[in-house]
Amino acid sequence: MGEASLSELLDIWVDGWASTRRYDVRSVGSFRAVHLADKSGDWEAFAADPSDEEFATLAAFVAEAPPRILTVLTEDHVRYRALAEQHGLVVLGADQELMVMDFEGKDVEEPWLNDDDLKLTTDIEDHSATVTVTTDAGVLAARGHVAVAHGYAVFDRIVTEPAFRRRGLGSFVMRALTAAMSEHDLEQGLLIASTDGQHLYHHLGWSDVSGVLMLTNPGTTEGASLSD
């Protein structure tokens, strides 16, 4: 697999993320926007290091409705914070990271759940999978989703419930999801991680690709995390 540009990685991530959540996707100029049907009910646009002119077009799109969000992948937060201020947008979040994992040489066998009180359920569709870990009584302990997009595995909503943390379930769910998609011969994975998640993924061998800057209209507070 050739090395993809940041814009290409973003498009791949958007397709996989929208697929796992069953979001509609539309174009805004040469960029993508996703309909957040289960959140604000409006649109979130995505761009990687847009030019000033491209940013203006995207900012105008966001300004059309208060709940709209513009998410920019960039390492130059100072530049885009200044552009946001010029166009009347405010920062909604700035602590997430696009990350990538090379699967070559990684263990893709379904992991063993070393806890007799918990059980693993894996639901596989054609190009996606959902993993849940529950107690015998049906209490949710951890979960996660993955979808195949353009040869990548895009991971989403990797969550361990508070009462079950520090038991290695986050790592277990990631391994189980990777195993569930093993028949697709995937070479790399993508995800966007919160600050807390980044520590886990670094430990598992994931690498940082780009910072994530979320912008919106003043007064909007919902949707500050892409991983929830």
Side-chain angles (χ1 to χ4, degrees), residues 110-121 132-134 167-169 172 175:
E110 183 171 313
W112 177 53
L113 184 55
N114 187 22
D115 193 323
D116 293 337
D117 297 327
L118 299 175
K119 65 177 182 178
L120 166 69
T121 302
T132 54
V133 178
T134 57
R167 295 166 66 171
L169 291 179
F172 175 84
R175 292 196 300 271

Short mmCIF file of all heavy atoms in Angstrom, two decimals, residues 110-121 132-134 167-169 172 175:
data_model
loop_
_atom_site.label_atom_id
_atom_site.label_comp_id
_atom_site.label_asym_id
_atom_site.label_seq_id
_atom_site.Cartn_x
_atom_site.Cartn_y
_atom_site.Cartn_z
N GLU A 110 -7.91 -14.09 17.07
CA GLU A 110 -8.86 -13.63 18.07
C GLU A 110 -8.28 -13.82 19.46
O GLU A 110 -7.82 -14.90 19.81
CB GLU A 110 -10.19 -14.40 17.95
CG GLU A 110 -11.25 -13.90 18.92
CD GLU A 110 -12.60 -14.52 18.66
OE1 GLU A 110 -13.02 -14.55 17.49
OE2 GLU A 110 -13.24 -14.97 19.63
N PRO A 111 -8.25 -12.77 20.28
CA PRO A 111 -7.60 -12.86 21.59
C PRO A 111 -8.42 -13.67 22.58
O PRO A 111 -9.63 -13.85 22.42
CB PRO A 111 -7.48 -11.40 22.02
CG PRO A 111 -8.64 -10.73 21.35
CD PRO A 111 -8.79 -11.43 20.02
N TRP A 112 -7.75 -14.15 23.61
CA TRP A 112 -8.42 -14.89 24.68
C TRP A 112 -8.77 -13.93 25.80
O TRP A 112 -7.94 -13.16 26.27
CB TRP A 112 -7.48 -15.99 25.17
CG TRP A 112 -8.02 -16.77 26.33
CD1 TRP A 112 -9.23 -17.41 26.41
CD2 TRP A 112 -7.36 -17.00 27.59
NE1 TRP A 112 -9.36 -18.03 27.63
CE2 TRP A 112 -8.23 -17.80 28.38
CE3 TRP A 112 -6.12 -16.64 28.10
CZ2 TRP A 112 -7.91 -18.22 29.66
CZ3 TRP A 112 -5.80 -17.05 29.38
CH2 TRP A 112 -6.68 -17.83 30.15
N LEU A 113 -10.03 -13.98 26.23
CA LEU A 113 -10.51 -13.11 27.30
C LEU A 113 -10.19 -13.76 28.64
O LEU A 113 -10.85 -14.73 29.05
CB LEU A 113 -12.01 -12.87 27.15
CG LEU A 113 -12.67 -11.89 28.13
CD1 LEU A 113 -11.98 -10.53 28.09
CD2 LEU A 113 -14.15 -11.73 27.79
N ASN A 114 -9.19 -13.23 29.29
CA ASN A 114 -8.69 -13.84 30.53
C ASN A 114 -9.49 -13.38 31.74
O ASN A 114 -8.96 -12.77 32.67
CB ASN A 114 -7.20 -13.50 30.71
CG ASN A 114 -6.58 -14.24 31.86
OD1 ASN A 114 -7.08 -15.27 32.29
ND2 ASN A 114 -5.49 -13.69 32.40
N ASP A 115 -10.79 -13.63 31.70
CA ASP A 115 -11.67 -13.25 32.81
C ASP A 115 -12.92 -14.10 32.71
O ASP A 115 -13.73 -13.92 31.80
CB ASP A 115 -12.00 -11.77 32.73
CG ASP A 115 -12.65 -11.25 34.01
OD1 ASP A 115 -13.43 -12.00 34.62
OD2 ASP A 115 -12.38 -10.10 34.39
N ASP A 116 -13.10 -15.03 33.64
CA ASP A 116 -14.24 -15.95 33.59
C ASP A 116 -15.57 -15.25 33.80
O ASP A 116 -16.63 -15.83 33.51
CB ASP A 116 -14.08 -17.05 34.64
CG ASP A 116 -12.91 -17.97 34.34
OD1 ASP A 116 -12.52 -18.03 33.15
OD2 ASP A 116 -12.40 -18.61 35.28
N ASP A 117 -15.54 -14.02 34.32
CA ASP A 117 -16.79 -13.30 34.59
C ASP A 117 -17.28 -12.51 33.38
O ASP A 117 -18.36 -11.93 33.42
CB ASP A 117 -16.59 -12.33 35.76
CG ASP A 117 -16.27 -13.05 37.06
OD1 ASP A 117 -16.78 -14.17 37.24
OD2 ASP A 117 -15.50 -12.50 37.86
N LEU A 118 -16.48 -12.49 32.30
CA LEU A 118 -16.82 -11.69 31.13
C LEU A 118 -16.90 -12.57 29.89
O LEU A 118 -16.26 -13.62 29.82
CB LEU A 118 -15.78 -10.59 30.91
CG LEU A 118 -15.63 -9.56 32.03
CD1 LEU A 118 -14.48 -8.62 31.72
CD2 LEU A 118 -16.91 -8.79 32.25
N LYS A 119 -17.68 -12.14 28.92
CA LYS A 119 -17.75 -12.88 27.65
C LYS A 119 -17.69 -11.92 26.48
O LYS A 119 -18.12 -10.76 26.57
CB LYS A 119 -19.03 -13.71 27.57
CG LYS A 119 -20.33 -12.92 27.53
CD LYS A 119 -21.52 -13.86 27.38
CE LYS A 119 -22.83 -13.08 27.29
NZ LYS A 119 -23.99 -13.98 27.10
N LEU A 120 -17.12 -12.41 25.39
CA LEU A 120 -16.94 -11.63 24.16
C LEU A 120 -18.01 -12.00 23.15
O LEU A 120 -18.29 -13.18 22.93
CB LEU A 120 -15.56 -11.92 23.57
CG LEU A 120 -15.31 -11.46 22.12
CD1 LEU A 120 -15.26 -9.95 22.04
CD2 LEU A 120 -14.02 -12.08 21.58
N THR A 121 -18.60 -10.97 22.52
CA THR A 121 -19.52 -11.17 21.40
C THR A 121 -19.01 -10.36 20.22
O THR A 121 -18.73 -9.16 20.36
CB THR A 121 -20.95 -10.72 21.75
OG1 THR A 121 -21.40 -11.46 22.89
CG2 THR A 121 -21.90 -10.98 20.58
N THR A 132 -18.44 -6.56 21.63
CA THR A 132 -18.91 -6.18 22.96
C THR A 132 -18.39 -7.18 23.97
O THR A 132 -18.27 -8.37 23.70
CB THR A 132 -20.46 -6.13 23.04
OG1 THR A 132 -21.00 -7.39 22.60
CG2 THR A 132 -21.02 -5.02 22.18
N VAL A 133 -18.06 -6.67 25.14
CA VAL A 133 -17.66 -7.50 26.28
C VAL A 133 -18.67 -7.23 27.38
O VAL A 133 -18.87 -6.08 27.79
CB VAL A 133 -16.24 -7.16 26.76
CG1 VAL A 133 -15.86 -8.01 27.97
CG2 VAL A 133 -15.24 -7.37 25.63
N THR A 134 -19.31 -8.30 27.85
CA THR A 134 -20.36 -8.15 28.86
C THR A 134 -20.13 -9.15 30.00
O THR A 134 -19.41 -10.14 29.86
CB THR A 134 -21.75 -8.41 28.26
OG1 THR A 134 -21.77 -9.73 27.67
CG2 THR A 134 -22.10 -7.38 27.20
N ARG A 167 -8.34 -3.06 33.38
CA ARG A 167 -8.32 -4.53 33.29
C ARG A 167 -7.89 -4.99 31.89
O ARG A 167 -8.03 -6.15 31.55
CB ARG A 167 -9.72 -5.09 33.62
CG ARG A 167 -10.11 -4.83 35.07
CD ARG A 167 -11.57 -5.06 35.37
NE ARG A 167 -11.98 -6.46 35.24
CZ ARG A 167 -13.18 -6.91 35.63
NH1 ARG A 167 -14.04 -6.07 36.21
NH2 ARG A 167 -13.50 -8.17 35.47
N GLY A 168 -7.37 -4.05 31.08
CA GLY A 168 -6.87 -4.40 29.77
C GLY A 168 -7.93 -4.60 28.71
O GLY A 168 -7.64 -5.12 27.63
N LEU A 169 -9.16 -4.15 28.98
CA LEU A 169 -10.24 -4.42 28.04
C LEU A 169 -10.14 -3.55 26.78
O LEU A 169 -10.57 -3.98 25.71
CB LEU A 169 -11.61 -4.20 28.72
CG LEU A 169 -11.96 -5.24 29.80
CD1 LEU A 169 -13.30 -4.92 30.41
CD2 LEU A 169 -11.95 -6.65 29.22
N PHE A 172 -7.84 -5.41 24.59
CA PHE A 172 -8.52 -6.63 24.16
C PHE A 172 -9.51 -6.34 23.04
O PHE A 172 -9.56 -7.06 22.03
CB PHE A 172 -9.25 -7.26 25.34
CG PHE A 172 -10.07 -8.46 24.97
CD1 PHE A 172 -9.50 -9.71 24.86
CD2 PHE A 172 -11.43 -8.32 24.70
CE1 PHE A 172 -10.25 -10.81 24.50
CE2 PHE A 172 -12.19 -9.41 24.33
CZ PHE A 172 -11.60 -10.67 24.23
N ARG A 175 -7.74 -5.74 19.73
CA ARG A 175 -7.25 -6.97 19.13
C ARG A 175 -8.40 -7.80 18.55
O ARG A 175 -8.27 -8.40 17.48
CB ARG A 175 -6.47 -7.80 20.16
CG ARG A 175 -5.16 -7.16 20.59
CD ARG A 175 -4.25 -8.16 21.28
NE ARG A 175 -4.87 -8.73 22.47
CZ ARG A 175 -4.78 -8.20 23.68
NH1 ARG A 175 -4.10 -7.07 23.86
NH2 ARG A 175 -5.35 -8.78 24.71
#
